[in-house]
Amino acid sequence: MTTPPHGEGTPNGHSEPRSGRWSDLGRPPLNAAGLRRGLVREGGLWRRVDVVQRTGSTNSDLVARAAEGDLAEGVVLVAEEQSAARGRLDRQWTAPARSGLFFSVLLRPAEVPVTRWGWLPLLTGVAVATGLSRVAGVDTALKWPNDLLVTVGDEERKAGGILAERAGNDGVVIGVGINVSLRADELPVPRAGSLALAGAANTDRDPLLRGVLRSLEDWYGRWREAGGDPAASGLQETYAAGCATLGRMVRAELPGDRSLVGEAVAVDGDGRLVLATEAGVQEPVGAGDIVHLRLA
């Protein structure tokens, strides 16, 4: 599959859909030139913003580009549509063109010990939730480790996800997918949601993306200046305050077909979820699928 050259678009900077620019008036294309003007600045984190009409996976593309040469930190790759988007555990999902925000960023946190890089997906979750709250006016919550939740009616639903992948020895590519205007009849599964279904005051993807990336720049800067210390940067406390998993009974589905049930009581200094089990012990979970069972 081929994709348009990076940055290709119409004279006004919009990425041109193959089926016609105004084929869905409720889902206009992103304004690539406007995004660059609003995000790329001297001394800032974001150095380049590329918008492509369609690709398999922005994460895969950016990891490959980073491997090909000396790609600078702060490159952002946005797709109007993804045909092979991936989540954790290689789960795949699709969404209609221009119905969400699908993007990846390249970070090179040289000042931070690699042992603390595991906080990057959690940091991104905090940044995304903060940015969306400010711009969309919708309450969001975080499900450990990488899901964004919204409330539709009286139901808690997943509206976004985050995937971090190493890019060489000194880089990390972080991918974000957010359902923005997805309608009820377009949901891939009944438990999915979108900003629109959650009653967002703003579903214009241009300001939403700018708000999320500015929030990510802010949180990444704080964390990097603190040497990746989650407590000193305020990240650990902020994540815990917005984490819907804490205080609930959960089931952790672990590698090796094991599972663990307990109350999620904390996120420790390594970003692991700490479960208080019926055996009276506290066990940290660093990787696995978390299923919310009920409020504790």
Side-chain angles (χ1 to χ4, degrees):
M1 178 187 301
T2 60
T3 59
H6 298 301
E8 179 179 328
T10 60
N12 63 4
H14 286 85
S15 179
E16 184 76 25
R18 291 170 301 171
S19 57
R21 180 177 166 193
W22 305 115
S23 58
D24 187 337
L25 294 177
R27 290 172 175 160
L30 290 166
N31 185 329
L35 289 170
R36 295 185 193 107
R37 286 193 302 270
L39 292 166
V40 180
R41 57 184 175 81
E42 187 70 28
L45 173 62
W46 309 122
R47 302 186 182 203
R48 176 173 176 174
V49 179
D50 295 330
V51 178
V52 297
Q53 171 54 33
R54 190 171 191 265
T55 190
S57 161
T58 56
N59 253 39
S60 296
D61 290 353
L62 204 48
V63 168
R65 285 171 59 185
E68 289 172 359
D70 188 20
L71 194 63
E73 177 180 62
V75 172
V76 182
L77 178 61
V78 190
E80 296 281 32
E81 182 181 9
Q82 292 188 108
S83 61
R86 292 175 294 118
R88 289 181 65 250
L89 308 178
D90 283 331
R91 295 192 178 106
Q92 295 196 0
W93 54 271
T94 59
R98 306 184 303 285
S99 66
L101 291 174
F102 319 115
F103 66 94
S104 298
V105 303
L106 174 63
L107 303 176
R108 298 189 186 278
E111 309 91 337
V112 177
V114 174
T115 54
R116 288 176 167 170
W117 288 15
W119 271 97
L120 281 170
L122 307 186
L123 181 155
T124 304
V126 167
V128 170
T130 302
L132 291 179
S133 178
R134 289 173 180 167
V135 181
V138 64
D139 289 333
T140 57
L142 301 168
K143 177 186 174 187
W144 189 92
N146 67 339
D147 289 347
L148 179 76
L149 305 179
V150 296
T151 301
V152 179
D154 59 355
E155 289 186 321
E156 192 176 68
R157 298 192 186 184
K158 177 178 174 178
I162 297 160
L163 177 67
E165 298 183 79
R166 288 291 294 268
N169 294 324
D170 64 346
V172 180
V173 169
I174 301 178
V176 177
I178 304 166
N179 295 333
V180 176
S181 64
L182 212 62
R183 300 182 288 266
D185 61 346
E186 296 173 320
L187 296 176
V189 294
R191 296 292 295 173
S194 69
L195 301 186
L197 291 174
N202 186 355
T203 57
D204 185 337
R205 294 181 305 140
D206 283 284
L208 288 175
L209 183 56
R210 288 196 302 271
V212 166
L213 288 174
R214 286 169 181 161
S215 179
L216 179 53
E217 179 176 10
D218 176 50
W219 274 106
Y220 180 63
R222 292 191 218 179
W223 177 76
R224 191 167 54 178
E225 288 172 8
D229 187 322
S233 63
L235 176 59
Q236 187 173 6
E237 180 181 7
T238 304
Y239 184 87
C243 182
T245 303
L246 294 180
R248 302 175 87 130
M249 292 298 295
V250 304
R251 182 176 68 252
E253 297 175 348
L254 307 172
D257 293 327
R258 296 186 303 117
S259 65
L260 180 68
V261 174
E263 181 186 352
V265 295
V267 175
D268 69 12
D270 294 321
R272 299 176 301 179
L273 185 68
V274 180
L275 302 187
T277 69
E278 292 183 352
V281 298
Q282 294 193 349
E283 296 198 24
V285 174
D289 234 12
I290 300 297
V291 179
H292 288 176
L293 300 178
R294 59 178 173 82
L295 292 175

